[in-house]
């Protein structure tokens, strides 16, 4: 296990908390050292602070994700400061869980680490297979296509990006209807890149998915933009509401990944 | 003697009519009460029959099938639970003492109040979280099947006569401030602060037919399961389990328990008397 923490005292206390006969801990104090360690050894889990002397935790995560030859184990962000929703969302795309340091956080850190190490044992081969498969899995239908995911649930965003990104799709995330409209405006702007398809959650704060879909359809240039509604509601008339608001299709939650992929293939403009 | 025989016959017919009526409501309006506990359904439907001037459940069925405008009124009879702010203060005290310290370790929080009725529970939690300094990073989903009660919940307006009781409950929940900081009273009504409302999404969701919609750290569902039969209770508890993050919290009503549920093994008991549970890691 790799611990990235610049404060010596905290490093020691994490080591004391997590270390035992079965868990080997390598502790480093900078992002550069962390990257060096990741290149030379395989870790089952990384615990990292966000404030490091040489780079932000954010930047470290991005570099870990970019370097193809560096292994990318599950990351737990362990931070003393509170995060904005944007920061949390950015971090959430690369890290499995985020823990804010507080009186009860050591206990939660121990739980999460134990859980990951346990999971690693039982699922590593599957995870490796998935990564290998991902490399060969870039199908042309999704390669380079931009999908706007309008969803505020971290778990669903994580699931969607882990399915769609390996297939070459570029995801843009909006957390509610208002953000979705703003993202579409931006994409239509001079420096924007066109969005090919929208996955629209229905139950969201600020502006719900039905309202957002209706708003999108009011604009002439977005009349043909494919919108797939993601709904937790199972009744026929709930689904009809999605269609009459202007969605092209809908899929029920919890999301069946294979079914969603077929739906996206169906509606993605050729 | 004759009256007694008559009453027995009527009861026997009602046993035939009740499932027919529930099927009719489901087929026509897609509201599924078929998994609800029979004793309370019968009681509620008897009041509805009086209100609609119907002698039998068949007459009520005829009415509601052919006069769609009467359905919302019937729905109000079928979903009556009333609540108070900080109802069962010790529940909220236990949340402050046992749940909040762990909630602090999450960068952002989602809470699901299932069966929120007219919103009392959702506002109570919002106030508690504001007092504990957590509301700014929290989103509360408050769901119910009755669109009329959801509207009331959204308005956050309560009769002023209820506020004294609310205040007493709030104080006993370990309050860190005065309840009056959170409402404005005028014209016999108290309206709760709009800044609380901004952290609550009120939404239509059925525990009988809909599925999980978000990952949350805490589910509070009190005095809802007592109106459900075992299978529907298990369905609802399954949704809560799937919605909760690992080690997430579940709060039930004072007369509800996980003990006989098929999901019992997925939770540990945190505070027995206040019906607070925690989801296990391996569930």
């Amino acid at each position: 296990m790799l611990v990235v923490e610049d404060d010596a005292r905290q490093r020691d206390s994490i080591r004391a908390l997590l270390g035992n006969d079965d868990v080997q801990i390598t502790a480093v104090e900078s992002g550069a050292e962390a990257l060096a360690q990741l290149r030379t050894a395989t870790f089952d889990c990384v615990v990292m602070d966000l404030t490091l002397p040489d780079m932000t935790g954010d930047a470290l995560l991005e570099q870990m994700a970019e370097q193809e030859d560096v292994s990318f184990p599950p990351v737990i962000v362990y931070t003393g400061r509170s995060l904005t929703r944007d920061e949390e969302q950015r971090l959430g795309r690369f890290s499995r869980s985020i823990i804010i340091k507080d009186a009860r956080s050591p206990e939660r850190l121990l739980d999460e680490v134990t859980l990951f190490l346990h999971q690693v044992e039982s699922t590593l081969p599957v995870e490796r297979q998935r990564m290998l498969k991902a490399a060969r899995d870039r199908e042309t239908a999704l390669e380079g296509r931009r999908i706007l995911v309008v969803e505020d649930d971290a778990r669903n965003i994580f699931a969607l990006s882990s399915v769609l990104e390996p297939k070459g799709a570029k995801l843009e995330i909006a957390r509610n209807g208002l953000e979705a409209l703003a993202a579409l405006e931006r994409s239509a702007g001079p420096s924007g890149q066109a969005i090919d398809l929208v996955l629209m959650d229905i139950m969201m704060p600020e502006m719900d998915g039905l309202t957002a879909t209706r708003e999108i359809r009011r604009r002439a240039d977005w009349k043909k933009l494919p919108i797939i509604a993601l709904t937790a509601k199972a009744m026929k008339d709930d689904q009809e509401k999605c269609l009459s608001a202007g969605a092209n299709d809908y899929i029920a939650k919890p999301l069946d990944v294979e079914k969603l992929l077929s739906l996206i293939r169906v509606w993605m403009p050729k | 003697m004759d009256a007694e025989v008559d009453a027995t016959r009527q009861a026997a017919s009602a046993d035939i009519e009740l499932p027919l009526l529930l099927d009719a409501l489901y087929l026509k309006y897609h509201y599924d009460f078929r998994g609800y506990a029979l004793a309370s359904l019968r009681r509620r439907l008897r009041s509805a029959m009086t209100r609609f001037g119907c002698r039998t459940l068949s007459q009520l069925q005829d009415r509601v099938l052919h006069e769609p405008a009467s359905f919302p009124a019937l729905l109000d009879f079928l979903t009556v639970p009333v609540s108070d702010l900080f109802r069962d203060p010790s529940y909220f005290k236990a949340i402050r003492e046992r749940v909040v310290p762990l909630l602090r370790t999450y960068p952002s929080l989602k809470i699901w109040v299932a069966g929120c009725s007219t919103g009392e529970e959702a506002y109570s939690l919002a106030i508690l979280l504001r007092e504990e300094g957590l509301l700014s990073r929290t989103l509360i989903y408050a769901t119910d099947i009755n669109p009329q009660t959801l509207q009331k919940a959204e308005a956050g307006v309560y009769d002023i006569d209820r506020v004294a009781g609310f205040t007493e409950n709030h104080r006993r929940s370990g309050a860190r401030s005065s309840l009056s900081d959170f409402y404005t009273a005028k014209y016999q009504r108290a309206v709760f602060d709009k800044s609380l409302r901004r952290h609550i999404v009120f939404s239509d969701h059925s525990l009988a037919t809909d599925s999980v919609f978000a990952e949350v750290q805490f589910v509070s569902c009190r005095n809802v399961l007592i109106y459900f039969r075992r299978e529907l209770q298990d369905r609802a508890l399954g949704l809560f389990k799937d919605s909760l993050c690992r080690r997430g919290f579940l709060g039930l009503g004072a007369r509800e328990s996980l003990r006989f549920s098929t999901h019992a093994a997925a939770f540990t008991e945190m505070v027995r008397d206040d019906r607070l549970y925690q989801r296990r890691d391996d569930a």
Side-chain angles (χ1 to χ4, degrees), chain B residues 5-248:
Chain B
V5 172
D6 208 39
T8 316
R9 270 202 203 115
Q10 278 223 359
S13 303
D15 284 345
I16 298 171
E17 292 169 298
L18 181 58
L20 296 175
L21 171 63
L22 300 183
D23 276 341
L25 293 178
Y26 178 67
L27 292 171
K28 175 99 182 179
Y29 299 105
H30 306 130
Y31 275 81
D32 195 351
F33 290 100
R34 295 172 300 181
Y36 277 50
L38 292 175
S40 64
L41 265 182
R42 285 198 194 99
R43 197 171 55 242
R44 292 162 179 216
L45 286 168
R46 269 198 300 273
S47 331
M49 281 160 58
T50 313
R51 151 77 171 70
F52 284 94
C54 295
R55 225 163 27 79
T56 63
L57 286 175
S58 299
Q59 285 181 359
L60 187 64
Q61 173 177 324
D62 181 60
R63 180 80 168 270
V64 76
L65 274 182
H66 298 289
E67 294 173 30
S70 63
F71 178 66
L74 179 60
L75 192 58
D76 272 347
F77 280 96
L78 291 173
T79 58
V80 285
V82 274
S83 184
D84 280 325
L85 249 70
F86 293 93
R87 174 179 185 176
D88 307 324
S90 72
Y91 174 75
F92 290 92
K93 196 153 194 276
I95 292 174
R96 275 186 215 275
E97 287 165 4
R98 303 291 302 277
V99 177
V100 163
L102 284 157
L103 293 182
R104 283 188 202 287
T105 68
Y106 292 88
S108 68
L109 293 169
K110 285 188 179 173
I111 292 176
W112 178 13
V113 178
C116 70
S117 187
T118 40
E120 290 86 342
E121 181 96 355
Y123 285 106
S124 305
L125 285 170
I127 290 168
L128 184 152
L129 291 167
R130 160 84 37 92
E131 290 179 322
E132 301 293 336
L134 289 176
L135 188 64
S136 59
R137 52 169 135 143
T138 301
L139 185 63
I140 299 174
Y141 290 96
T143 63
D144 201 271
I145 56 168
N146 187 337
Q148 297 155 106
T149 52
L150 276 172
Q151 246 174 33
K152 285 187 197 157
E154 213 155 328
V157 176
Y158 301 98
D159 198 291
I160 206 162
D161 298 338
R162 301 178 64 196
V163 175
F166 291 175
T167 306
E168 173 64 19
N169 284 351
H170 174 241
R171 209 159 33 228
R172 285 167 51 209
S173 79
R176 291 173 187 272
S177 55
S178 158
L179 190 65
S180 62
D181 296 345
F182 300 97
Y183 65 79
T184 313
K186 228 182 203 175
Y187 314 118
Q188 280 304 298
R189 300 252 186 284
V191 58
F192 278 83
D193 197 339
K194 288 279 177 284
S195 70
L196 299 172
R197 167 74 190 76
R198 271 207 300 279
H199 294 271
I200 311 176
V201 177
F202 290 100
S203 189
D204 166 43
H205 183 276
S206 159
L207 295 171
T209 56
D210 297 334
S211 60
V212 169
F213 56 86
E215 179 179 36
V216 301
Q217 283 80 27
F218 179 28
V219 174
S220 189
C221 179
R222 299 199 303 147
N223 308 309
V224 174
L225 299 185
I226 39 170
Y227 300 108
F228 291 176
R229 284 212 293 273
R230 178 70 53 79
E231 301 74 38
L232 184 52
Q233 288 180 355
D234 277 336
R235 186 185 194 279
L237 289 166
L239 290 182
F240 300 156
K241 187 191 84 183
D242 292 340
S243 188
L244 284 169
C245 64
R246 294 183 309 265
R247 304 227 140 203

Side-chain angles (χ1 to χ4, degrees), chain A residues 83 85 88 97-100 102 104-105 107-108 111-112 115-116 119 151-156 201 203-205 231-235 237-238 253-254, chain B residues 26 29-30 97-98 101-102 104-108 110 137 139 141 143 201 203-206 209-215 242-244 246-247 279 281:
Chain A
L83 303 175
R85 298 279 287 176
E88 186 190 353
S97 63
I98 304 175
I99 302 174
I100 305 289
D102 202 85
R104 300 289 293 273
S105 51
E107 161 187 348
R108 213 186 121 211
D111 283 340
E112 302 258 351
L115 189 74
F116 281 139
Q119 273 183 347
E151 164 72 82
D152 79 322
D153 185 52
R155 189 163 54 178
N156 276 328
D201 184 29
M203 215 159 129
M204 292 178 298
T231 171
K233 308 210 34 90
M235 293 292 108
D237 46 350
D238 295 316
K253 290 183 173 187
Chain B
Y26 178 67
Y29 299 105
H30 306 130
E97 287 165 4
R98 303 291 302 277
L102 284 157
R104 283 188 202 287
T105 68
Y106 292 88
S108 68
K110 285 188 179 173
R137 52 169 135 143
L139 185 63
Y141 290 96
T143 63
V201 177
S203 189
D204 166 43
H205 183 276
S206 159
T209 56
D210 297 334
S211 60
V212 169
F213 56 86
E215 179 179 36
D242 292 340
S243 188
L244 284 169
R246 294 183 309 265
R247 304 227 140 203
R279 204 192 119 174
D281 278 345

Side-chain angles (χ1 to χ4, degrees), chain A residues 23-50:
Chain A
V23 181
Q24 294 163 20
I25 294 182
T26 307
V28 298
E29 51 190 289
S30 71
E33 282 175 86
L35 288 168
Q37 283 292 342
L38 285 164
R39 268 191 293 272
T40 54
T42 308
F43 293 92
D44 294 320
C45 178
V46 177
V47 175
M48 61 180 282
D49 194 1
L50 283 184

Side-chain angles (χ1 to χ4, degrees), chain B residues 241-260:
Chain B
K241 187 191 84 183
D242 292 340
S243 188
L244 284 169
C245 64
R246 294 183 309 265
R247 304 227 140 203
F249 307 93
L250 170 66
L252 299 178
R255 286 176 292 156
E256 295 159 339
S257 137
L258 278 180
R259 206 177 319 147
F260 302 111

